[in-house]
């Protein structure tokens, strides 16, 4: 069912680099879109990987989330359709890397994105889910994402240092809850780049589940080369090869995510 009064805004965040944030935003977004949900991905990372991965070339980005955050442009002015039906993107550009500095002395600098999302007006009805692809820092952009979000999905790479930095992330979410957004919570923790044949992956999964319990999604995302190839074809893996193990895992994640959403509202 589409058309909620206020879309669910969910950040995909982990200050650790390369853990699968963008891959998760794109493929969870595409998997949700394939079930008929209307999804907007907000690319809040100056690297612009979500934008490129969804076919918005660097050259074609005249306007971006930089203009929204710094120049108060409307999100609706920068939204682009993708080749996936029901999936749109608000792209970023490299100048977003200077947003932290530019906003440093501005009032309300932590709620720029929240205000912009509120200004979506009647167009809010277009979206069931807004997924924010966060940069690999806990700087002002990520704080803006948290201020605007109902919840946070945290991808964790199934490797030795998986839990490193997680306490810092949880503390940051707690700080945000105590100051600018008292309803934010962790939506779920997602193990990514999992290798079932590798004892270390298995041990890490045990460790993460023991420490974080119910927060951890049952679904794990395997290491799968198709997931890393797809962006160079400007497509979600879900479309590039919908039968590969990575695509199947993200479809399973979307189903689990939707069940959890339902449980929360009933
Ligand atoms: P950054 O912190 O730089 O924004 P990120 O957390 O968004 O990174 P991704 O860009 O999604 O991480 O993934 C990092 C790299 O790993 C990319 O090259 C991506 O294609 C690849 N990758 C992500 N998930 C998987 C997977 N499950 N299997 C194989 N490769 C993957
Ligand atoms: Mg990324």
């Amino acid at each position: 069912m589409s058309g909620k009064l206020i879309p669910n805004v969910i950040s995909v965040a982990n200050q650790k680099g390369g853990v699968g944030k963008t891959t998760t935003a794109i493929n969870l977004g595409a998997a949700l879109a394939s079930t008929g949900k209307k999804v907007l991905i907000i690319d809040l990372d100056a690297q612009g990987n979500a934008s490129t991965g969804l076919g918005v070339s660097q050259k074609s980005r005249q306007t971006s989330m930089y203009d929204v955050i710094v120049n108060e442009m409307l999100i609706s002015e920068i939204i682009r359709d993708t080749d996936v039906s029901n999936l749109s993107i608000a792209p970023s550009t490299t100048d977003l890397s200077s947003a932290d500095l530019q906003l440093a002395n501005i009032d309300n600098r932590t709620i720029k994105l929240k205000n912009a999302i509120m200004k979506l007006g009647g167009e809010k009805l277009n979206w069931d889910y807004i997924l924010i692809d966060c940069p690999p820092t806990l700087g002002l952009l990520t704080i803006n994402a948290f201020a605007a979000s109902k919840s946070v999905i945290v991808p964790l790479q199934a490797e030795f240092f998986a839990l490193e930095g997680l306490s810092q992330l949880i503390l940051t979410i707690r700080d945000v809850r105590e100051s600018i957004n008292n309803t934010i919570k962790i939506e779920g923790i997602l193990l990514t780049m999992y290798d079932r044949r590798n004892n270390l992956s298995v041990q890490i999964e045990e460790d993460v589940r023991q420490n974080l319990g119910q927060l951890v999604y049952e679904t794990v995302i395997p290491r799968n080369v198709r997931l890393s190839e797809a962006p160079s074809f400007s497509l979600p893996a879900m479309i590039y090869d919908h039968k590969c193990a990575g695509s199947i895992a993200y479809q399973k994640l979307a189903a689990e995510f939707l069940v959890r959403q339902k449980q929360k509202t009933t």
Side-chain angles (χ1 to χ4, degrees), residues 5-244:
L5 217 53
I6 299 175
N8 270 299
V9 183
I10 298 168
S11 290
V12 182
N14 185 338
Q15 76 275 23
K16 209 160 180 263
V19 296
K21 293 180 287 292
T22 302
T23 305
T24 297
I26 290 178
N27 289 290
L28 175 62
L32 288 170
S34 76
T35 71
K37 302 288 181 194
K38 301 260 187 223
V39 183
L40 170 65
I41 293 177
I42 292 181
D43 188 347
L44 211 57
D45 184 1
Q47 297 177 98
N49 295 338
S51 310
T52 314
L54 285 169
V56 182
S57 69
Q58 295 265 11
K59 264 196 232 143
S60 75
R61 288 175 222 164
Q62 265 83 36
T63 53
S64 77
M65 283 308 296
Y66 173 82
D67 300 290
V68 172
I69 299 279
V70 176
N71 299 327
E72 305 206 348
M73 192 177 269
L74 295 173
I75 295 179
S76 53
E77 291 180 68
I78 69 152
I79 288 177
R80 308 274 293 266
D81 287 336
T82 70
D83 287 340
V84 183
S85 60
N86 297 326
L87 183 65
S88 302
I89 175 132
S92 86
T93 38
T94 49
D95 43 11
L96 203 53
S97 59
S98 67
D100 265 49
L101 266 181
Q102 297 204 30
L103 294 178
N105 296 316
I106 292 177
D107 282 348
N108 296 340
R109 60 185 172 274
T110 56
I111 53 168
K112 289 278 176 190
L113 180 61
K114 182 181 177 188
N115 288 341
I117 289 174
M118 280 163 60
K119 280 193 223 148
L120 272 170
E123 289 161 59
K124 274 187 203 141
L125 299 175
N126 285 338
W127 315 110
D128 293 299
Y129 293 103
I130 296 180
L131 300 179
I132 306 172
D133 184 24
C134 291
T137 69
L138 292 173
L140 202 45
L141 287 171
T142 299
I143 300 299
N144 264 270
F146 289 172
S149 294
K150 282 190 178 164
S151 58
V152 185
I153 291 177
V154 182
L156 279 189
Q157 188 176 346
E159 53 143 55
F160 186 63
F161 293 114
L163 289 169
E164 191 201 0
L166 192 65
S167 54
Q168 185 61 40
L169 178 60
I170 289 171
L171 278 178
T172 304
I173 293 172
R174 190 180 302 163
D175 281 351
V176 168
R177 192 183 304 125
E178 284 166 7
S179 53
I180 37 181
N181 178 0
N182 52 30
T183 55
I184 190 170
K185 57 188 172 36
I186 293 183
E187 178 75 36
I189 291 173
L190 176 67
L191 281 164
T192 62
M193 303 186 219
Y194 187 82
D195 181 355
R196 240 168 252 291
R197 292 158 308 180
N198 180 335
N199 277 341
L200 188 59
S201 266
V202 178
Q203 270 170 34
I204 283 158
E205 179 183 12
E206 269 175 33
D207 191 23
V208 168
R209 290 196 191 282
Q210 214 158 52
N211 277 287
L212 302 161
Q214 296 288 323
L215 278 180
V216 187
Y217 285 110
E218 282 292 315
T219 310
V220 295
I221 308 299
R223 187 171 278 285
N224 177 241
V225 71
R226 305 299 259 176
L227 286 174
S228 53
E229 284 168 7
S232 59
F233 294 88
S234 306
L235 287 171
M238 275 281 306
I239 306 294
Y240 170 64
D241 179 355
H242 74 280
K243 287 188 176 150
C244 72

